[in-house]
Amino acid sequence: AQTVTQSQPEMSVQEAETVTLSCTYDTSENNYYLFWYKQPPSRQMILVIRQEAYKQQNATENRFSVNFQKAAKSFSLKISDSQLGDTAMYFCAFMRSSNTGKLIFGQGTTLQVKP
Amino acid sequence: DAMVIQNPRYQVTQFGKPVTLSCSQTLNHNVMYWYQQKSSQAPKLLFHYYDKDFNNEADTPDNFQSRRPNTSFCFLDIRSPGLGDAAMYLCATSRDEGGAETQYFGPGTRLLVL
């Protein structure tokens, strides 16, 4: 069975600084997808970034980038130039390529961006 | 704006009293999902519909049922809610494109069981 672990329940960062959220996962699959979702307080969850396991190049979306280490089964999220609107709970999620649709989420990391 | 809508946002029910949560979407996506998210925990998939085909997760209790009368609407029925069913229930949709399509989430319904 696949598992996703986020070892940092809470983190904080000063506005405009950079923060990295950690995620590790366990799978015997070779092909899969990884995601970071953001859940702001009292608002819906939205996709931040995604990574296909067969791609070696790390995904980037504006201020958000990932460090994907397939051998280590690590998938961290870096947020550059943190903004107050980045305050949210962040979930790392895994999806098998052979079972599209089923997201397996980590426990989440609550990020507080301080002014 | 195209979106995923969940009603109500907050629902209070009594122990053992059936309750129905609603989800609608204007995205015209053919896949709809229901997740349960307990306090400070990860969302957990209960089941999903691929078009009209219902796919139940193996560990979803029989107490939870779902209906999808058309593309736009999907309902979560809890036949006899217990105290342990108090949670946030998230609806999500995706367009099946043969890959790991992005899931679009609604704001959730928070269920309280008294």
Side-chain angles (χ1 to χ4, degrees):
Chain A
Q2 289 78 25
T3 58
V4 179
T5 302
Q6 294 177 248
S7 59
Q8 305 151 315
E10 296 180 355
M11 294 191 71
S12 65
V13 63
Q14 291 296 131
E15 195 175 8
E17 293 188 347
T18 296
V19 64
T20 299
L21 308 183
S22 301
C23 173
T24 58
Y25 58 94
D26 187 26
T27 184
S28 58
E29 305 277 329
N30 189 49
N31 295 319
Y32 49 87
Y33 303 88
L34 295 164
F35 306 83
W36 279 98
Y37 276 87
K38 168 185 176 182
Q39 188 176 38
S42 302
R43 295 179 61 187
Q44 55 251 64
M45 187 142 40
I46 58 172
L47 178 67
V48 175
I49 199 166
R50 56 181 279 166
Q51 174 85 39
E52 290 84 355
Y54 64 85
K55 291 186 178 179
Q56 291 187 337
Q57 186 173 4
N58 289 324
T60 62
E61 286 288 341
N62 301 314
R63 297 184 294 109
F64 300 87
S65 61
V66 298
N67 183 5
F68 173 47
Q69 302 289 330
K70 191 173 183 179
K73 297 180 182 175
S74 171
F75 184 61
S76 60
L77 174 68
K78 186 171 80 171
I79 305 174
S80 304
D81 185 24
S82 297
Q83 300 176 0
L84 297 178
D86 295 333
T87 293
M89 179 166 276
Y90 287 81
F91 289 97
C92 178
F94 171 96
M95 181 189 293
R96 293 168 57 191
S97 64
S98 59
N99 189 11
T100 55
K102 181 173 182 176
L103 284 168
I104 298 169
F105 288 91
Q107 297 295 95
T109 297
T110 299
L111 176 67
Q112 177 76 42
V113 180
K114 299 180 178 179
Chain B
D1 289 340
M3 58 175 54
V4 181
I5 303 161
Q6 290 189 246
N7 287 307
R9 294 292 306 276
Y10 299 90
Q11 176 73 56
V12 181
T13 190
Q14 292 179 333
F15 183 93
K17 185 176 181 180
V19 66
T20 295
L21 308 183
S22 169
C23 177
S24 64
Q25 52 127 340
T26 60
L27 297 162
N28 202 31
H29 286 169
N30 62 329
V31 191
M32 295 187 76
Y33 310 82
W34 279 104
Y35 290 86
Q36 180 192 62
Q37 184 181 20
K38 294 188 176 180
S39 180
S40 302
Q41 295 186 22
K44 180 179 176 299
L45 182 65
L46 295 172
F47 28 59
H48 74 278
Y49 272 95
Y50 184 102
D51 291 324
K52 294 182 179 180
D53 294 332
F54 178 69
N55 298 272
N56 196 31
E57 292 301 305
D59 55 355
T60 298
D62 293 340
N63 197 28
F64 292 86
Q65 304 287 322
S66 186
R67 296 170 285 134
R68 190 179 185 186
N70 54 52
T71 300
S72 300
F73 285 87
C74 194
F75 300 99
L76 170 62
D77 300 309
I78 308 177
R79 294 191 297 186
S80 181
L83 298 179
D85 296 329
M88 176 76 83
Y89 290 88
L90 301 174
C91 175
T93 73
S94 68
R95 182 190 306 277
D96 176 41
E97 294 177 331
E101 56 281 353
T102 297
Q103 293 187 20
Y104 295 83
F105 285 81
T109 294
R110 185 169 295 282
L111 177 68
L112 180 62
V113 181
L114 301 178

